[in-house]
Amino acid sequence: MNNIVRLTLDALTGVTVGISAKEDILGKDVYNDQSEKVGVIEDILIAPDDKTTYGIVGVGGFLGIGRRSVAVPVDFFQENSDGQWILYGATKDLLKQAPEFSYS
């Protein structure tokens, strides 16, 4: 038999304040700890167990041409007090050397 989960009012009121990936994360610039822009957050991947696992960062290119995507574990992202997303230790060269991510 299927595992049916019924929607309840309690389930709908469980989260009233949160972060919106679309509004607060996607399309945001990513900086390193030297305040250098190293990429742009293009996507967030959710694993089958419902845990966020990777942020997809667009690296390099000009106006989107020649940009490549790199998967970075979300544990490495930190938001600073100015609302900027930081990858400590990241450089454009390091991210360009990482394996390119592609959707299957």
Side-chain angles (χ1 to χ4, degrees):
M1 178 174 212
N2 291 340
N3 285 338
I4 297 173
V5 179
R6 297 203 182 275
L7 187 61
T8 65
L9 183 56
D10 286 340
L12 294 173
T13 58
V15 175
T16 57
V17 177
I19 294 176
S20 163
K22 180 180 176 185
E23 298 294 325
D24 300 326
I25 301 172
L26 299 181
K28 300 293 182 183
D29 293 335
V30 178
Y31 297 89
N32 63 16
D33 43 313
Q34 305 299 314
S35 298
E36 301 166 326
K37 180 180 171 186
V38 294
V40 175
I41 301 173
E42 297 178 333
D43 203 355
I44 302 292
L45 297 183
I46 308 295
D49 61 4
D50 293 332
K51 294 181 181 178
T52 305
T53 54
Y54 292 92
I56 306 303
V57 178
V59 181
F62 180 73
L63 298 175
I65 299 171
R67 181 183 288 176
R68 58 193 308 272
S69 298
V70 175
V72 178
V74 295
D75 294 342
F76 287 94
F77 289 90
Q78 292 189 6
E79 186 178 19
N80 70 11
S81 59
D82 296 327
Q84 294 178 325
W85 290 96
I86 310 296
L87 284 174
Y88 288 90
T91 64
K92 285 183 180 181
D93 287 337
L94 175 70
L95 293 172
K96 287 179 184 177
Q97 292 175 37
E100 186 167 6
F101 171 80
S102 63
Y103 294 92
S104 57

